[in-house]
Structure formats: structure tokens, C-alpha cells
Amino acid sequence: MDGLTPGFASPAVDAAHAFRAVLDTMAHPGRLVTLDGPAAPVPCSQAACVALLTLADATTPLHLAGAHDCKGMRDWVAFHLGAPLVGRSEAVFALGTWHALGPLAAYPQGVPDYPDRSATLIVEMADLQANGTRLTGPGIEDAAYLSLPDTDALRANASRFPLGLDFLFTHGAQLAALPRTTKLGDG
Amino acid sequence: MTEYNFAYLDEATKRMIRRALLKAVAIPGYQVPFSSREMPMPYGWGTGGVQVTAACLVPEDSLKVIDQGADDTTNAVSIRSFFEKVAGVATTESTADASVIQTRHRIPEAPLVAGQILVFQVPIPEPLRFLEPRETETRTMHALEDYGLMQVRLYEDIARHGEIARAYAYPVKVEGRYVMDPSPIPKFDNPKLNMSPALQLFGAGRECRIYALPPFTRVESLDFEDYPFTPSKAAGHDCAICGAQDSYLDEVITDDSGGRMFVCSDTDYCATRAAQMEANA
């Protein structure tokens, strides 16, 4: 547990601010917000760290993918969240780079009676910009733009609505969301 | 503000509600089950709305609470003072000044703006419940997008009464997929649900359900081509206080001999208009 970084300085109020920011991104797909908070454990971004502190706990199995499945992260999760670490098929949340997280089909997609029982993927990005793929759908007045990693896979995810995964994209302290309702591209 | 955890609920409960809210926003109109807590008020007084509000509030918020449009009724006053006490947030009666509005059975007359959150208190979230009492069946009907029963019910209304005889809790279809109960708002308010710039969240405490309409979401009131949906209100009257012709009206009995008046249900809208008229006079 050496070098464990602290959690929220003021858990209730900091989590409230962070949640409003996450809710804002989920309600406005493609919108970029900044998540301020405590320093994140390597290699986790600050935004992903704050999102996990806000949403994950002992009741939410978490999948750490690729380089994020390291001792530092596991210690941090054990201390701050208490979330059970699981494989893709049991995950409520998953954290990693796009490449490490895949394939998307391995995660719970929800079931027709309970489409909410699907995983939320926190995707660490090398870059996150409000340009690139055109987004339309609920939460978007006209169109929004977001630099997305793999539009084909995300379009396939959206086509399964009401089933499907929801995504939080993180880069540094920046966060954007892509719920399954968002349509990608002009089609 | 040392007596309570911020916004009353414990952090584990708030995380649970917050996760449900995010899934609700991601699946507009779908009712997400959540583990509703007992609140220090009876069911029917807005326990669902209070839990959703508690999970969303930040200390900088300005909270407005209305009950049937009114800021000054028991339910509204007590919920407002509850959050003043347990969250230390500012409260307001002005729709324009509020960042979070918890409502029982009305949508304010003043147009909502981007960034505002409207939290509805919902008694019975399942629009199909009075047609099919079994939760297992209604869940399957939603899964299969089988809403024929609802259309038959609306048709039977027309066959018996010559019109769709539903003045409130008028069912809507969200983004062409889920049929949703908009809570017992008058159908006059239904058009305000559609493409609203505000985020609309629905909490049903007793029934343990949360659902949501993200901003700019298509919300259509169910109808037929030859019997189109019409938002209605008390016909042939203007507000007796502010003279508004475009607002939803309450009928108020004024004496024992049949005296009555029609006034705006939205007290903030009415008071703002009355103050303007006085200033202009």
C-alpha cells in the first residue's frame, strides 16, 4: 500500500460536484467537462479516478484492463472503493484504454427486461477533443462532435438500443460521455 | 450544517441512486429499479423526488419546490425547508433563478433553460399498471415494445366518450421507443416535455423506480391520426389575478353559494405577471 494517493478531501460535497459533472456529460453526449479532484494512481487519469470515486463501491464489480491492472491500481481500488475486481463478463464498470478494454461484446449488454444491467466503460484516451465524429440524438440539440476511437464498434453498440454499453471517455481531468442512444456520423 | 451528511442520504445510497440516474439518462423513458430508502416523510409526499434531488444537489444550487404549481403549499414548503436544513442550499420561488426544481404534478409555465434540472415526484411510474397489474408482464411488454394494450385503451375511451378521456398522467412515447408515464401532470403540460433544454428526472420512491428524459429528447403524446392529442385546460377563462390566457388554471371555490374563480396554478408565474402589471400601471 506504499504511495497510496488520498481520496476526496470532502467526500460528500466533492462527490456531489463530480456527479453533477458526470450527469451533465451523460445528458449532453460529446460535451467536455473538467473533473477536479485528488491525484490519481498511475496510470489512471484524474477524470477516471474521480468518476470511480463518485460511482463505484463494493457493490459494483470492476474490470481493470491492460496496463490499468497493476498493483498500484489494485491497491487503490481495494482501499478507496472496495470494488471486487472481475473479468469483463461480470463488470459493472471497466477501466482501461480502448485497445485494452475490447472486445465490447464480452461485457454485460443488459437484457431486454432490464437494459440498465449493462456495463459502463471508462475509456482512457490519449487525446480528447470536441471534434471528429458527428453525434446526434437525445441530449444534443443540433449536433455535437467528439474524437472517438472506433466509430464502427460504437455504431454497432448504438444499433443494439435499448441494450448496449455506455461510455465515459477520459483524458487528464477531462471527461466526455457517450450513452447508447447517441447516433454516430451522418447515417 | 454539521448535524447531517450533506443532502441527508449516506454516500453509499447516493452512489446507488447516481448510478441509476446515469442509466436512466442513457435509456430515456425506461424505468430503472433502485433501492429506495425510507425517508423522513410518508410515501406520497415525494420520497422518490426527494431522493433524486438529494443525489443531484450541490451546495451552490438554488432549489425551487412546487406542489401542483404552487410554491406555498405544505408539501412544497416542507421539502424546501428539509433541504435548507440537510443540504444548506439556497431556495427560491422563482423558476428563472432555480437550478434544481422539484415538482409535484406540474411543469412551470416559464420556459425552462439549459442547465436546469426538473425532478418529478412520481406516484405510479408504470403507464401500463392499470391495464396489466403484473410487474412481470408489464416488464415483458416494455421489452417487446408491445404497447397495443395502451392503444386499445385510448381507442375505448374514444368509443365510449368520444375523446381520449385522460386529463392528467397522459401517456407519452419517448424517442419512438418506451411508453412512459409523465407523472400526474395535466396533459396541458405534455408538450413542455418534448425537446426541453432542461434535464428531466423522475423519482418514484414507493415503487422504487427512476427514469429520465435527457434534454432535447423527442416526447410524443400517444394519439390517433383522426383523434390527435390536444393539450387542454379550463376553457373560457383567464386568470382572475394576472389575466393570463396561456397558463394552466386552478378552479378555486370562494364561498358557500357557488362562487368560484380561476387562477394560475403556477404561483410564481402569476405573481411575476401581477408584479409586472402593477409596475406598468
Side-chain angles (χ1 to χ4, degrees):
Chain A
M1 292 265 171
D2 291 340
L4 201 60
T5 53
F8 285 132
S10 172
V13 173
D14 290 355
H17 282 123
F19 173 69
R20 273 290 273 277
V22 177
L23 182 65
D24 192 36
T25 61
M26 197 59 93
H28 300 89
R31 176 177 288 184
L32 287 169
V33 300
T34 303
L35 278 189
D36 290 318
V42 179
C44 185
S45 69
Q46 188 180 332
C49 157
V50 172
L52 284 174
L53 285 172
T54 306
L55 298 171
D57 57 29
T59 65
T60 57
L62 172 69
H63 176 67
L64 296 175
H68 285 75
D69 189 16
C70 60
K71 183 172 186 307
M73 274 304 296
R74 274 184 252 136
D75 286 349
W76 183 86
V77 168
F79 185 79
H80 286 295
L81 310 181
L85 296 178
V86 295
R88 292 182 177 89
S89 64
E90 295 171 72
V92 169
F93 291 102
L95 172 69
T97 62
W98 180 260
H99 183 72
L101 282 168
L104 298 186
Y107 295 93
Q109 310 283 315
V111 293
D113 282 5
Y114 294 93
D116 57 302
R117 294 180 184 173
S118 65
T120 302
L121 269 50
I122 303 174
V123 187
E124 301 269 39
M125 305 282 286
D127 192 24
L128 195 57
Q129 305 274 348
N131 58 42
T133 310
R134 183 172 188 268
L135 311 178
T136 54
I140 303 169
E141 183 173 14
D142 182 24
Y145 296 87
L146 190 63
S147 53
L148 292 173
D150 181 351
T151 49
D152 285 343
L154 291 169
R155 197 175 284 130
N157 180 66
S159 72
R160 305 189 62 189
F161 182 85
L163 306 187
L165 307 174
D166 305 306
F167 299 88
L168 298 175
F169 294 100
T170 54
H171 170 69
Q174 282 196 305
L175 173 86
L178 189 78
R180 63 195 83 173
T181 47
T182 304
K183 294 164 196 71
L184 284 78
D186 299 318
Chain B
M1 245 300 289
T2 51
E3 299 91 338
Y4 292 94
N5 188 39
F6 174 72
Y8 186 77
L9 296 170
D10 63 278
E11 290 307 293
T13 298
K14 279 193 261 178
R15 279 193 295 272
M16 174 271 295
I17 296 172
R18 286 165 178 165
R19 290 190 295 265
L21 282 168
L22 291 180
K23 286 299 176 192
V25 169
I27 317 167
Y30 166 74
Q31 303 161 48
V32 181
F34 83 112
S35 171
S36 179
R37 299 295 193 247
E38 254 189 79
M39 298 302 285
M41 61 189 71
Y43 290 130
W45 284 60
T47 55
V50 163
Q51 289 177 80
V52 170
T53 300
C56 289
L57 279 182
V58 295
E60 295 77 21
D61 269 325
S62 182
L63 177 70
K64 172 182 164 83
V65 184
I66 51 174
D67 173 5
Q68 303 273 13
D71 291 276
D72 54 3
T73 52
T74 311
N75 198 194
V77 170
S78 55
I79 291 174
R80 220 165 37 232
S81 68
F82 174 75
F83 280 114
E84 281 171 4
K85 184 173 181 182
V86 301
V89 294
T91 54
T92 179
E93 296 192 1
S94 161
T95 301
D97 293 342
S99 52
V100 177
I101 303 171
Q102 182 172 329
T103 174
R104 177 174 173 272
H105 311 354
R106 271 313 307 279
I107 298 175
E109 304 287 356
L112 301 177
V113 298
Q116 286 182 315
I117 298 178
L118 186 60
V119 179
F120 294 78
Q121 303 172 193
V122 182
I124 297 168
E126 178 50 72
L128 305 167
R129 182 60 69 234
F130 291 112
L131 305 172
E132 170 51 67
R134 288 167 296 179
E135 168 68 12
T136 47
E137 290 301 307
T138 53
R139 191 157 282 284
T140 305
M141 289 159 76
H142 283 293
L144 298 177
E145 208 176 339
D146 176 7
Y147 298 124
L149 206 53
M150 180 62 88
Q151 294 290 351
V152 169
R153 141 98 208 230
L154 299 182
Y155 167 78
E156 286 183 345
D157 268 5
I158 294 169
R160 278 186 204 153
H161 309 292
E163 60 177 356
I164 297 174
R166 242 194 210 208
Y168 65 96
Y170 191 103
V172 296
K173 196 164 211 183
V174 181
E175 281 289 323
R177 178 58 180 85
Y178 283 100
V179 164
M180 186 190 98
D181 185 330
S183 85
I185 59 172
K187 68 175 180 175
F188 175 81
D189 282 342
N190 270 25
K192 298 176 194 164
L193 298 164
N194 184 41
M195 299 303 274
S196 170
L199 172 61
Q200 300 174 88
L201 306 174
F202 299 77
R206 178 176 40 209
E207 302 290 324
C208 309
R209 295 290 184 274
I210 283 172
Y211 51 105
L213 296 172
F216 307 112
T217 296
R218 278 188 299 123
V219 181
E220 301 152 283
S221 302
L222 295 180
D223 61 1
F224 298 98
E225 279 173 21
D226 50 346
Y227 283 87
F229 171 79
T230 49
S232 67
K233 60 178 194 125
H237 297 278
D238 300 342
C239 172
I241 297 173
C242 75
Q245 299 174 326
D246 56 354
S247 73
Y248 189 76
L249 301 174
D250 282 342
E251 181 180 4
V252 181
I253 307 297
T254 52
D255 54 37
D256 288 345
S257 51
R260 56 190 190 150
M261 66 193 287
F262 287 87
V263 294
C264 290
S265 135
D266 185 334
T267 53
D268 171 55
Y269 183 73
C270 197
T272 306
R273 279 179 51 89
Q276 271 170 2
M277 281 159 59
E278 202 162 307
N280 295 340

